[in-house]
Amino acid sequence: MRAATLTDHLAGWPDDRLERLFALRPDLCHPPVPDFAALAARASTQMSVLRALDGLNRAHLDVLEALAVLSLVPGTHDAGPAGSAVRLAAFFQDAAVDTVQDLLEDLAEAALVVGHGPDWQLPAPVATALGPHPLAFGRPAAVLADGAGAGTGDLADLPRDRAGTLKLLRRASRENVEAGTEDQQEDLLTRAAAALEALQSSPVARLPEPPGPVHDLLLRTGLLVRRDRLGEHPLEAGLAWRDGTSGRPLDRRPPPATGRPVPGALSRNAALAAIGDLLRACATLLDAVTPGLPTLRSGGVGVRELKRLAEATGSSPEDTAWLLELVAAAGLSVLDPDTSTWRPDTAAVRDWRRSDRHVQWAALTAGWLSSGRAPMLGPPPAESTGGAARALAPDRNRPDAPRLRAALLETARDVSADHPGSPLDPAVAERQRWRAPRQSARTAGFTPALLAEAERLGLTGAGALTEAGALVAAGHLDQAAAAVGQALPPAVTTVRLQGDLTAVAPGYLDPEVDRRLAGMAEAEGDGAARVYRFSDASVHRALDAGSTAAELEAFLAGHSDDEVPQSLRYLIRDVARRHGLLAAGPAGAWLRSEDPGLLDAIVADPEMSGAQLERLAPTVVVAGVGPRELHRLLAAAGHRAALHRAEDEDGPPAEGRQRARRAVAGTEAGAFPEPVRAVRWSPSEEELAAQIARLRSAPTPAPTGPGTEEAVAVLRQAAARRARVDLVTVDQRGRRQSRRVVPLAVAGGRVRCLVPDQDAETVVPLHRVVSADAVPVP
């Protein structure tokens, strides 16, 4: 279809239909177009058409591809590819004409087909964007015959139905003197029929060298045409094998979900248990990475560090890697750009720990939804790590990851709305293949990993969508957090102390109580009831943190359901009695001099009291401040000292974390690139009104013929059919030249054509093409 025709077609649409077009294809008005000619040109560009095709479901895409197939069958097109709803309905198995008509009208609303009375025309850019094998049919025999290799049968004598194809195969197998006995001939016939059936899903097959008996039989009969090292099943042969139909039904409704529904109580309890485990695991992980988690030179956390961290947290390396990604996505862990070390963001972690559980869950879920990282449970590219997993590695960056997660949750919500409580695996994958088959072909591998991540977050439970998951899918994270807060049982503040030096928490423990217990005991196990084991080392750790024996006993007595066991009191008092016999403390800087008298004067100087000096030896003094501050105080008191520069001591380590926090806030480069928006842009009512008013006020342009994109699409479609076109080009001096040619190939910015009048080939650069119009078939 020529661009000038599309311009006139769109100019005749009413305002409400134009609004519908912009809603279906928002890229046509973003940025705004000045007139209908520009609108038609943008609607014909390959990128815009591909975007529109990606949004079609299986039924609409099948009808569109059926139009493309019927346009390639000899004798079915005049001025352009066309078809009627009646013919399309007959092309599918048991398809109603009204159903096909409705689908065609939907496609017309998106300007993907154009109606002319009872017939529908497929624009050339759309036919080109569908690819060379619509509905898994091969190219026409006339196209494949050009340059076909040796051994190709007579393509003009191809059968018209399946019975004729089988008869041709049987006759060819009998003529093969090497076929052997009748049983061997029947076996060869059966294998050839199976090969033809496989070619209906993929019309191109790789040919072995030399071809086997089955491939040789198909090549000799013309049912397979050699193209270099590949063989292609001709369009006419595919139609014959499918008895002149598409070989598939037209399913307008999505596939139903299978499997027994999951009870709501089971799904809810599984999701709540997953949320509790997730929050506890994140808190444990943040404690473990407090000293810092170094990265490799190529980026990401190495396998050794990951295993070490997994042992410290009591989880598997895979789960640890996923949790590291999650806390980083939520902003709880940041990359220090100075040391290339991942550390907890002190302020963010402090606020997160003090928040209620449903607020903590909302922060993690929001980070997961907006993270521009590939599904976190999926393996990274093997070539970058030798097959081993690297957490927080750059090779996991995927800017469209938020869209993948939003599409998954939206599909899960639709499946659950149609079939409440149905298992989402494999229902989500099947629904996505029906809703957007072109997109699903590129993203289907991420679906299992995304479902597993949703299960970890409690968006699904026991394989079914939960109430919180449905709210998140609808974009209501705050309401989902409130629902989670109401469903979670209240936190307990007391534990049961036992004589074997353990404490058992009968439920989710209050975060502050859990923090204090974890400081004086070792946490063990997982699940609802957590165990804390007291030992000599754990009590020493609590005393080192500044607590006293009396404070430890008072805390346990105030948060215990029973009396504090005598064995635990004896342990605390015994450790406290031995604690402090050997002490260690900080020293900010040292001062050394060979003159002990000079050091005596400096230590006794009142102006040096702020340095917190302490004599260690006759010639050595340590200070409680840093080297630079000590140097400044000495200079102020009139003492000149040499500053030792063995290592960089510019300031406390907190400065690195502050720089990392500024990087996350946007003042410096972040660790990962920003993801794209998860929601597709859609024009507002004001923008639609302004765009339509601009189109109506623009002058009607004079017919200019097809544009460049349209001309290239016409040439590619003609090359696929070996059809003639009237080609108009310009030479180096700008002079026009018109000739009738048969395009052979369009690639590399050039079109190779056959000029029938001269019986010669020519190559024309595409930038010299002015227009290309298909020649009507007589």
Side-chain angles (χ1 to χ4, degrees), residues 524-585:
E524 298 178 352
D526 253 336
R530 206 175 190 190
V531 178
Y532 299 84
R533 184 172 300 277
F534 297 90
S535 64
D536 188 288
S538 66
V539 176
H540 260 295
R541 185 175 66 244
L543 295 175
D544 287 341
S547 299
T548 63
E551 291 174 347
L552 296 181
E553 291 188 30
F555 173 81
L556 293 175
H559 295 85
S560 174
D561 294 332
D562 304 311
E563 290 287 336
V564 179
Q566 189 178 38
S567 58
L568 182 55
R569 290 184 182 272
Y570 284 170
L571 174 65
I572 295 174
R573 293 172 184 177
D574 180 63
V575 172
R577 184 175 61 254
R578 291 182 283 110
H579 183 264
L581 296 180
L582 181 64

Side-chain angles (χ1 to χ4, degrees), residues 715 727 729-730 739 748-752 762-770:
L715 290 172
L727 183 65
T729 60
V730 294
R739 50 188 165 177
R750 299 179 298 175
V751 54
R752 184 168 61 91
T762 183
V763 177
V764 180
L766 290 179
H767 68 271
R768 297 195 182 278
V769 174
V770 176

Side-chain angles (χ1 to χ4, degrees), residues 361 364-371 400-418 422 424 427-429 431-432 435 443 446-461 463-477 480 678-679:
W361 173 83
L364 297 176
T365 304
W368 178 75
L369 290 172
S370 61
S371 173
D400 65 338
R403 291 182 180 175
L404 296 180
R405 297 185 180 97
L408 176 98
L409 293 177
E410 183 180 355
T411 305
R413 184 184 61 174
D414 292 345
V415 170
S416 300
D418 296 340
S422 60
L424 300 179
V428 168
R431 179 67 66 94
Q432 285 184 326
R435 289 184 59 179
T443 61
F446 294 120
T447 300
L450 289 173
L451 284 174
E453 293 178 8
E455 188 91 12
R456 293 286 301 270
L457 287 163
L459 302 175
T460 64
L465 190 68
T466 61
E467 177 188 0
L471 290 171
V472 171
H476 306 306
L477 181 58
V679 181

Side-chain angles (χ1 to χ4, degrees), residues 84-467:
S84 65
V86 175
R87 185 173 182 186
L88 285 169
F91 190 59
F92 292 98
Q93 298 176 358
D94 302 327
V97 178
D98 293 341
T99 299
V100 175
Q101 184 70 23
D102 292 343
L103 294 173
L104 287 169
E105 292 176 356
D106 292 342
L107 294 170
E109 292 292 320
L112 295 175
V113 298
V114 178
H116 295 283
D119 293 334
W120 296 87
Q121 182 177 352
L122 189 67
V126 178
T128 302
L130 288 173
H133 303 123
L135 291 180
F137 281 101
R139 290 175 291 178
V143 177
L144 296 177
D146 179 35
T152 303
D154 190 356
L155 300 181
D157 296 335
L158 289 176
R160 300 302 179 92
D161 54 17
R162 181 187 285 252
T165 304
L166 292 174
K167 185 182 299 184
L168 175 63
L169 287 174
R170 187 178 298 277
R171 183 171 63 250
S173 64
R174 289 177 179 175
E175 293 174 355
N176 187 0
V177 295
E178 299 179 357
T181 65
E182 184 176 349
D183 291 341
Q184 291 174 332
Q185 294 176 6
E186 288 296 328
D187 178 67
L188 179 61
L189 180 63
T190 302
R191 291 161 56 195
L196 284 179
E197 192 65 36
L199 287 172
Q200 306 314 305
S201 58
S202 178
V204 179
R206 184 175 297 277
L207 293 177
E209 288 294 343
V214 174
H215 291 99
D216 183 67
L217 180 62
L218 296 179
L219 287 171
R220 287 190 296 105
T221 55
L223 299 176
L224 195 66
V225 180
R226 178 186 289 274
R227 305 287 293 183
D228 296 330
R229 296 183 180 181
L230 301 177
E232 186 166 344
H233 191 45
L235 170 63
E236 294 83 356
L239 285 171
W241 187 254
R242 306 184 200 185
D243 288 324
T245 68
S246 66
R248 65 177 69 182
L250 184 64
D251 297 327
R252 187 170 187 181
R253 295 184 177 180
T258 58
R260 181 178 299 178
V262 179
L266 175 61
S267 177
R268 181 174 57 255
N269 292 339
L272 294 178
I275 292 174
D277 293 341
L278 175 68
L279 298 180
R280 186 180 297 111
C282 287
T284 304
L285 180 71
L286 290 172
D287 289 337
V289 299
T290 298
L293 196 61
T295 60
L296 301 174
R297 290 185 178 180
S298 58
V301 179
V303 177
R304 292 183 179 178
E305 288 293 332
L306 193 61
K307 290 182 178 180
R308 181 191 61 78
L309 187 61
E311 293 176 358
T313 56
S315 60
S316 65
E318 293 77 13
D319 287 346
T320 303
W322 186 80
L323 290 173
L324 283 173
E325 295 275 359
L326 184 63
V327 297
L332 300 178
S333 177
V334 295
L335 180 64
D336 187 342
D338 295 333
T339 61
S340 296
T341 302
W342 286 92
R343 300 179 186 275
D345 187 323
T346 306
V349 172
R350 181 178 62 250
D351 295 340
W352 184 79
R353 288 184 183 277
R354 293 176 178 176
S355 302
D356 294 332
R357 282 177 293 169
H358 67 280
V359 178
Q360 295 179 349
W361 173 83
L364 297 176
T365 304
W368 178 75
L369 290 172
S370 61
S371 173
R373 306 277 287 159
M376 302 169 185
L377 288 181
E383 62 272 12
S384 63
T385 62
R390 281 191 305 159
L392 302 170
D395 52 24
R396 289 181 182 267
N397 290 336
R398 188 177 178 92
D400 65 338
R403 291 182 180 175
L404 296 180
R405 297 185 180 97
L408 176 98
L409 293 177
E410 183 180 355
T411 305
R413 184 184 61 174
D414 292 345
V415 170
S416 300
D418 296 340
H419 309 277
S422 60
L424 300 179
D425 187 15
V428 168
E430 294 176 355
R431 179 67 66 94
Q432 285 184 326
R433 282 193 292 268
W434 181 88
R435 289 184 59 179
R438 292 174 64 93
Q439 293 186 39
S440 177
R442 300 189 298 267
T443 61
F446 294 120
T447 300
L450 289 173
L451 284 174
E453 293 178 8
E455 188 91 12
R456 293 286 301 270
L457 287 163
L459 302 175
T460 64
L465 190 68
T466 61
E467 177 188 0

Side-chain angles (χ1 to χ4, degrees), residues 405-703:
R405 297 185 180 97
L408 176 98
L409 293 177
E410 183 180 355
T411 305
R413 184 184 61 174
D414 292 345
V415 170
S416 300
D418 296 340
H419 309 277
S422 60
L424 300 179
D425 187 15
V428 168
E430 294 176 355
R431 179 67 66 94
Q432 285 184 326
R433 282 193 292 268
W434 181 88
R435 289 184 59 179
R438 292 174 64 93
Q439 293 186 39
S440 177
R442 300 189 298 267
T443 61
F446 294 120
T447 300
L450 289 173
L451 284 174
E453 293 178 8
E455 188 91 12
R456 293 286 301 270
L457 287 163
L459 302 175
T460 64
L465 190 68
T466 61
E467 177 188 0
L471 290 171
V472 171
H476 306 306
L477 181 58
D478 293 341
Q479 298 181 20
V484 169
Q486 294 177 358
L488 286 172
V492 297
T493 57
T494 58
V495 296
R496 297 191 64 88
L497 297 174
Q498 303 181 117
D500 60 350
L501 300 179
T502 60
V504 180
Y508 179 80
L509 196 59
D510 181 81
E512 182 61 24
V513 178
D514 176 73
R515 186 186 65 82
R516 291 291 302 276
L517 273 177
M520 66 181 72
E522 302 294 343
E524 298 178 352
D526 253 336
R530 206 175 190 190
V531 178
Y532 299 84
R533 184 172 300 277
F534 297 90
S535 64
D536 188 288
S538 66
V539 176
H540 260 295
R541 185 175 66 244
L543 295 175
D544 287 341
S547 299
T548 63
E551 291 174 347
L552 296 181
E553 291 188 30
F555 173 81
L556 293 175
H559 295 85
S560 174
D561 294 332
D562 304 311
E563 290 287 336
V564 179
Q566 189 178 38
S567 58
L568 182 55
R569 290 184 182 272
Y570 284 170
L571 174 65
I572 295 174
R573 293 172 184 177
D574 180 63
V575 172
R577 184 175 61 254
R578 291 182 283 110
H579 183 264
L581 296 180
L582 181 64
W590 50 266
L591 189 63
R592 184 182 61 198
S593 176
E594 298 299 329
D595 185 359
L598 177 60
L599 290 183
D600 292 339
I602 293 175
V603 172
D605 192 341
E607 295 186 13
M608 297 296 299
S609 60
Q612 306 174 23
L613 299 178
E614 185 175 350
R615 196 71 167 264
L616 293 184
T619 58
V620 179
V621 173
V622 294
V625 296
R628 293 187 179 277
E629 178 65 14
L630 177 61
H631 188 268
R632 186 189 66 80
L633 292 174
L634 286 170
H639 304 284
R640 297 297 179 183
L643 183 61
H644 186 67
R645 298 180 180 272
E647 59 185 32
D648 186 12
E649 298 171 335
D650 287 341
E655 289 187 9
R657 292 193 290 271
Q658 292 171 0
R659 281 192 289 271
R661 193 175 301 122
R662 290 196 300 270
V664 174
T667 57
E668 297 180 13
F672 302 119
E674 289 295 325
V676 295
R677 290 184 299 181
V679 181
R680 188 182 69 164
W681 177 85
S682 58
S684 62
E685 294 183 1
E686 294 78 8
E687 291 171 328
L688 285 175
Q691 174 64 88
I692 294 176
R694 187 174 185 179
L695 290 174
R696 297 301 185 197
S697 61
T700 303

